Amino acid sequence: MKKLLFSLALLATPPVLAAAGVSAELLAGYRAEAAKPFSAAQGEQLFRARHGDIGCTSCHTDNAKSAGKHAQTGKSIEPLAPAANPKRLSDPAKVEKWFKRNCNDVLKRACTAQEKGDFVTYLVSIK
Amino acid sequence: MKTTIFLIAAVSILAGAALADDHVGQYGGESRAKPLPTSKPNATWRQECGSCHIAYAPGLLPAESWRKVMAGLDKHFGSDASLTAQENRAITEFLVDNAATRWRTPGAPLRITETAWFKRQHDGHEIRPEVWKRASVKSPANCAACHPGADKGDFEEDRIRIPR
């Protein structure tokens, strides 16, 4: 049954996501745990929100297509949007690793599947 | 006579220092070793430790420091840098196996910049304080600003380039 759901989820993934190198597996996983459909607008809100003196944009800049810079070390960070960096979102384990770290650092908690799905949907929507 | 006494005193002090040096090694025992064994590059270490800063060479700290750093990655100098258990094991093993070999004290600092060898080699005589404040340097953690081969474990003195 799980397999069938997964295949259905794959079918439901718009082809544009696959074309951008985004792992269908990733979004399918979030979709299985999220209540509402994913929203690029919600994702963008997450991306721009400030929490105390930090937010995603502290390191990733306010343009997800731009290269970022680590706020503490100055090390350069490749763009978040797959439109500017085709490797981005292509490895689900890597995406999960960074959601875990960055949600902890910025929000002081884990992100929900809904938030992750919205966020990925926003990044993929950027042309 | 006065000169003789002075000479004797000076010689004794020097001899004492040499003996002490022999016992604990250089830098009060906090001496590093060859920073990176080129024979054993480790891809997981390079990839994971090199994503937010340069992958600091294992020989810059003693084994106990690396064990402590790797056990606290969820709160790594203010950031969550956690790894999977498997990655953590592999990297810890690499760091510990290739850690500083000349360390002679029980001290295990967490920051490379807190080690005696680092402080001595980067003190006010070696580097003027204003250099650290330059945008091109930014922080003492940014080895590569002045050591272009830092990510390859190359800290040779004649390859140092201090940026404007």
Side-chain angles (χ1 to χ4, degrees), chain A:
Chain A
M1 183 60 191
K2 220 173 175 186
K3 227 174 186 172
L4 176 68
L5 274 179
F6 180 67
S7 314
L8 283 175
L10 274 183
L11 284 175
T13 306
V16 60
L17 297 192
V22 176
S23 166
E25 191 192 329
L26 182 71
L27 270 175
Y30 297 149
R31 196 169 285 126
E33 290 176 48
K36 294 181 288 175
F38 293 139
S39 145
Q42 284 294 320
E44 179 168 7
Q45 223 170 68
L46 271 173
F47 176 68
R48 302 202 182 284
R50 305 289 296 180
H51 303 268
D53 53 358
I54 60 165
C56 308
T57 56
S58 306
C59 295
H60 294 289
T61 80
D62 58 8
N63 179 356
K65 281 171 76 175
S66 299
K69 206 170 166 188
H70 194 286
Q72 276 175 314
T73 66
K75 187 161 172 108
S76 78
I77 302 171
E78 287 183 77
L80 274 185
N85 173 13
K87 284 185 300 202
R88 187 64 77 183
L89 306 180
S90 60
D91 176 354
K94 195 168 173 182
V95 174
E96 273 298 292
K97 172 161 69 190
W98 285 102
F99 267 136
K100 175 179 188 290
R101 293 171 169 180
N102 294 349
C103 294
N104 265 340
D105 283 343
V106 174
L107 300 171
K108 315 292 176 215
R109 62 167 173 83
C111 286
T112 62
Q114 182 75 48
E115 287 169 325
K116 293 180 199 174
D118 287 343
F119 196 86
V120 168
T121 303
Y122 165 60
L123 292 183
V124 169
S125 75
I126 299 169
K127 295 285 169 277

Side-chain angles (χ1 to χ4, degrees), chain B residues 35-36 57 146-160:
Chain B
L36 184 66
C146 305
H147 302 277
D151 61 336
K152 292 169 198 71
D154 179 357
F155 296 91
E156 285 303 316
E157 191 147 12
D158 50 6
R159 284 193 278 281
I160 296 171

